[in-house]
């Protein structure tokens, strides 16, 4: 039988590329995304798709029921991927903005994961792959809410890995750096809604640096930025390896940041990050 995988955040970017690639490799891909119109579009593309909104507990429960109905009660892998970013200084970001991003980027992931773990326990095996980020272990100015959710995810996944030791369930973190996705475009409404842009010492920075980049009409690839294919390649390794790594880093900046964090005192690392 084909191996099965439930993937979230498949409307575009990393999730969409992974769903298409794994489907071509013979996986039974169960693709999910937040909006019904995107679900319909995925179905038109030949994918088996369903709605799953991380902020809606009922939609998560329905998606799990749907997925297990598709597979006869089995599920070989879960790829938690759906998330969004939000620019702006920490001091300018409303507390409700932090709550909102944690609902999507962290609490929803937990709700889905805790519903999947019993399925994998019963079958004695499974892979839970979490799409983290280079910002899961280092920091960057103007990315406080997103960085906070990814740091939380890293700790959460480390604990889950320890708790699932000897169950046959592997918990794996993907840590991409710059990947060519819609993340900047998708961050715009959250910046508009939650960040104080005017009555703040950061206002000149927003106008001159952050907003021209955030609202750029033409997509300019960052230095070292890779396509989604790079992340999918590491995902496939995580799914296929008999003994998968705990972490798979993607893109040169992620490797550089990892080694600098291990080698440099924190203040020295800060100097490097402030130049980024």
């Amino acid at each position: 039988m084909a191996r099965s995988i439930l993937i979230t955040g498949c409307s575009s970017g990393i999730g969409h590329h992974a769903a298409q690639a794994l489907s071509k490799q013979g996986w039974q891909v169960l693709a999910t995304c937040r909006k019904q119109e995107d679900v319909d579009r995925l179905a038109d593309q030949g994918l088996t798709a369903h709605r799953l909104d991380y902020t809606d507990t009922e939609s998560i429960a329905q998606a799990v029921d749907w997925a297990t109905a598709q597979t006869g009660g089995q599920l070989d892998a879960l790829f938690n991927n759906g998330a969004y970013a939000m620019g702006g200084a920490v001091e300018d970001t409303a507390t409700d903005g932090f709550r909102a991003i944690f609902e999507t980027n962290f609490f929803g992931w937990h709700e889905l994961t805790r519903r999947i773990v019993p399925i994998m326990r019963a079958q004695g095996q499974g892979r839970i792959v979490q799409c983290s980020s280079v910002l899961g272990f280092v920091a960057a100015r103007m990315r406080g809410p997103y960085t906070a959710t990814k740091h939380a995810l890293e700790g959460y996944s480390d604990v889950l890995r320890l708790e699932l030791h000897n169950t046959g369930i592997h918990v794996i973190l993907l840590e991409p750096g710059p990947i060519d996705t819609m993340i900047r475009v998708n961050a715009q409404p959250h910046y508009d809604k939650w960040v104080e842009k005017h009555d703040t010492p950061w206002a000149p920075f927003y106008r001159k640096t952050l907003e021209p980049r955030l609202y750029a009409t033409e997509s300019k690839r960052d230095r070292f930025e890779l396509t989604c294919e790079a992340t999918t390649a590491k995902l496939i390794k995580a799914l296929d390896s008999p003994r998968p790594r705990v972490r798979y880093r993607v893109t040169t900046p992620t490797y550089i940041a990892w080694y600098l964090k291990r080698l440099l005192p924190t203040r020295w690392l800060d100097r490097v990050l402030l130049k980024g």
Side-chain angles (χ1 to χ4, degrees):
M1 294 179 61
R3 289 182 292 173
S4 58
I5 182 169
L6 175 63
I7 306 177
T8 66
C10 292
S11 61
S12 64
I14 290 171
H16 184 264
H17 188 278
Q20 293 283 9
L22 290 173
S23 181
K24 290 177 183 177
Q25 286 198 0
W27 280 77
Q28 183 181 8
V29 173
L30 306 164
T32 67
C33 48
R34 181 172 58 91
K35 297 179 180 179
Q36 186 59 47
E37 55 262 38
D38 290 326
V39 172
D40 296 339
R41 175 169 52 84
L42 294 177
D44 290 341
Q45 294 171 1
L47 291 169
T48 303
H50 198 276
R51 181 178 174 272
L52 189 156
D53 182 346
Y54 275 133
T55 68
D56 181 349
T57 300
E58 185 177 351
S59 86
I60 295 172
Q62 291 174 351
V64 172
D65 290 343
W66 163 81
T68 52
Q70 297 289 320
T71 65
Q74 302 291 305
L75 190 66
D76 294 296
L78 166 66
F79 182 31
N80 270 315
N81 165 71
Y84 69 85
M86 187 194 313
V90 168
E91 65 188 288
D92 294 333
T93 304
T95 302
D96 282 344
F98 270 88
R99 290 192 180 102
I101 197 171
F102 264 87
E103 284 291 342
T104 295
N105 290 16
F106 184 76
F107 297 130
W109 292 38
H110 170 61
E111 180 65 28
L112 176 58
T113 300
R114 69 186 296 268
R115 291 176 180 272
I116 296 299
V117 167
I119 299 169
M120 292 182 173
R121 276 187 178 274
Q123 65 197 22
Q125 62 86 26
R127 306 271 166 119
I128 298 172
V129 185
Q130 314 272 53
C131 193
S132 182
S133 168
V134 61
L135 296 181
F137 59 86
V138 296
R141 293 188 304 170
M142 300 293 133
R143 296 173 177 85
Y146 183 77
T147 298
T149 63
K150 293 305 182 182
H151 271 67
L153 176 65
E154 294 262 338
Y156 172 93
S157 299
D158 284 341
V159 171
L160 186 62
R161 184 182 70 254
L162 294 172
E163 292 175 350
L164 294 178
H165 179 65
N166 284 337
T167 64
I169 304 171
H170 296 278
V171 181
I172 304 155
L173 285 155
L174 296 188
E175 297 172 329
I179 300 291
D180 184 13
T181 69
M182 295 287 289
I183 193 166
R184 197 175 303 155
V185 173
N186 293 337
Q188 292 173 7
H190 305 288
Y191 171 75
D192 291 338
K193 182 175 183 179
W194 298 116
V195 178
E196 170 55 59
K197 309 167 196 57
H198 307 295
D199 187 18
T200 167
W202 288 104
F205 180 88
Y206 294 155
R207 290 194 302 269
K208 295 178 182 179
T209 304
L210 191 149
E211 291 178 2
R213 176 177 171 81
L214 184 64
Y215 295 113
T217 55
E218 294 184 7
S219 178
K220 183 179 180 181
R221 181 168 292 183
D222 290 337
R223 187 183 182 191
F224 300 119
E225 185 173 279
L226 300 178
T227 65
C228 296
E229 185 176 0
T231 305
T232 299
K234 292 296 179 74
L235 171 63
I236 291 171
K237 287 184 178 181
L239 294 173
D240 287 347
S241 174
R243 186 178 173 83
R245 298 177 185 175
V246 172
R247 286 171 169 82
Y248 288 87
R249 288 173 278 280
V250 189
T251 75
T252 298
T254 307
Y255 281 99
I256 293 173
W258 176 257
Y259 288 116
L260 290 178
K261 185 174 177 65
R262 297 182 68 183
L263 296 172
L264 295 181
T266 301
R267 293 294 186 186
W268 291 18
L269 179 60
D270 283 352
R271 293 177 187 176
V272 175
L273 295 173
L274 284 167
K275 293 178 181 178

